[in-house]
Amino acid sequence: MKSTPQLAEGEEILHHHVPNLRTFKRTALLMLAITIFPTAVILMLFPDTLWGVAPMFVTCLLLMQERFNLGKYAAWITNQRILMQSDEEIALGDISKTDTFGNAVRLHQKARGQTSKLYYAKDRKALKQLIETARQGVA
């Protein structure tokens, strides 16, 4: 993880978003629970082959990759912008709307028509409220 980013004049960090491991684990358990059914069905239909474990194997690979990438989802929320760990910067004035979806807080940008996400927040509603409050301070 990178150290604290370079801040502009008068800019201060309001929150350092670090993905929460408990939230990730809850998402992983949900994915594994969903994958158990197709795995069981394939194993019952084709008991002579090991292809039935393919859905579970793919899910485990995806979860392992996501766990290694978890640190890339960190971000610093300042009173002027959001600095993502991936070197993406989003000015608070460019955010048209924030909402929660799944395990993420989505940031809708008006200028680019893009959506960025802050994944695995411990409290999504509080993070969304913090961003909304910071946006009102800029406007």
Side-chain angles (χ1 to χ4, degrees):
M1 223 184 288
K2 292 183 185 176
S3 60
T4 306
Q6 189 70 25
L7 300 177
E9 183 74 27
E11 187 175 23
E12 62 183 63
I13 294 177
L14 302 175
H15 179 67
H16 181 197
H17 168 67
V18 179
N20 185 293
L21 193 56
R22 176 176 270 170
T23 306
F24 170 75
K25 286 179 182 178
R26 191 172 41 235
T27 302
L29 286 174
L30 176 67
M31 287 180 65
L32 290 170
I34 291 170
T35 308
I36 286 175
F37 181 71
T39 300
V41 169
I42 293 171
L43 286 173
M44 284 190 292
L45 292 176
F46 305 103
D48 297 338
T49 181
L50 290 176
W51 281 105
V53 296
M56 188 64 72
F57 180 75
V58 170
T59 299
C60 289
L61 282 178
L62 290 172
L63 288 172
M64 187 171 51
Q65 177 188 7
E66 186 74 358
R67 175 60 183 97
F68 283 116
N69 291 331
L70 206 56
K72 294 181 182 179
Y73 299 136
W76 292 270
I77 301 164
T78 71
N79 57 345
Q80 297 175 9
R81 59 192 170 152
I82 297 175
L83 302 160
M84 308 287 249
Q85 184 76 17
S86 62
D87 292 332
E88 180 183 0
E89 293 184 20
I90 305 167
L92 291 177
D94 289 345
I95 298 172
S96 61
K97 179 175 103 171
T98 60
D99 63 345
T100 57
F101 181 76
N103 60 10
V105 174
R106 291 191 298 194
L107 311 168
H108 301 274
Q109 301 170 41
K110 25 181 166 173
R112 294 191 241 163
Q114 281 185 302
T115 302
S116 298
K117 295 178 182 177
L118 297 173
Y119 290 99
Y120 306 114
K122 186 173 185 175
D123 186 355
R124 293 176 321 209
K125 292 178 184 176
L127 182 61
K128 177 183 178 258
Q129 184 62 42
L130 174 79
I131 295 169
E132 288 292 325
T133 304
R135 280 184 53 216
Q136 292 172 358
V138 170

